[in-house]
Structures are given as C-alpha cells and as structure tokens.
Amino acid sequence: DGFFTPGSEGEFQDIVDLLLHNDRYLTLADYKAYIAAQDEVSTTYNNTAKWAEMAIHNIASSGKFSSDRTIAEYAREIWGMEPSYEKLPDPHHVDGKETLTV
C-alpha cells in the first residue's frame, strides 16, 4: 500500500505476491497466531501487577545459565572439539605497554 515507500506504492509488490502466494519457506504460516500472541503480551504488559508476577515466576523458574558453559557444550557437541580456556593477551597492550591511542 506504499506505507514504507511513499510515492512508490508497487516497489515491493513482487515480494508481497511471493510471500502471499508462493511461500515455500512458510514465512507467514503462523503470522496470525504471532499477532494474537503479541496482542496478549501487550494486554498483559499493561497490567503491571500481572506482568511483575509473570516476570518473577519466569526468573524463579529459569535454570542455571552460563555463556561459558553453553559455548563449551557447543564446541564439544557441534564441532567435536574441546574448548580452550587459555587467556588471550589484551590487544591494547604489547609487552606491558598500552598501544591504544585516542
């Protein structure tokens, strides 16, 4: 409808037609459900007591997370290698001298 391209209403029509009539990747398959879920999120967010309650439950229910552990698991399970925990040198210091200039 030209909302994103005033004066060039048909600029993205090929993409629109492709997504609406030949979407082999199912990009829009769950779009209505997504919009409905987003509307529910918006409604809940406006109820600050309910939002806070849900946030607290979410935090309390979350498991232990460590990015280091996750990256190590990824290295082992996906790449089949042991991660290295060797500390890399500071790129702004060479031989104890700061090399970063501003």
Side-chain angles (χ1 to χ4, degrees), residues 8-21:
S8 299
E9 288 75 17
E11 186 167 348
F12 297 111
Q13 193 60 49
D14 290 344
I15 296 170
V16 171
D17 290 341
L18 183 67
L19 290 173
L20 292 177
H21 306 295

Side-chain angles (χ1 to χ4, degrees), residues 10-98:
E11 186 167 348
F12 297 111
Q13 193 60 49
D14 290 344
I15 296 170
V16 171
D17 290 341
L18 183 67
L19 290 173
L20 292 177
H21 306 295
N22 190 26
D23 185 8
R24 65 181 175 169
Y25 298 107
L26 304 177
T27 307
L28 300 177
D30 64 348
Y31 188 69
K32 286 181 183 177
Y34 169 80
I35 293 299
Q38 190 59 49
D39 287 344
E40 186 177 342
V41 168
S42 296
T43 299
T44 304
Y45 183 77
N46 288 325
N47 180 343
T48 55
K50 180 68 174 172
W51 187 264
E53 175 188 348
M54 291 174 72
I56 291 167
H57 282 278
N58 186 30
I59 293 166
S61 299
S62 66
K64 178 181 175 188
F65 179 80
S66 161
S67 58
D68 290 341
R69 177 186 52 82
T70 302
I71 292 167
E73 285 177 6
Y74 187 85
R76 286 186 194 98
E77 295 172 13
I78 304 300
W79 293 102
M81 58 189 288
E82 284 299 311
S84 171
Y85 294 100
E86 179 182 335
K87 182 170 173 41
L88 298 175
D90 185 330
H92 303 296
H93 288 84
V94 176
D95 296 327
K97 299 176 184 169
E98 187 170 346

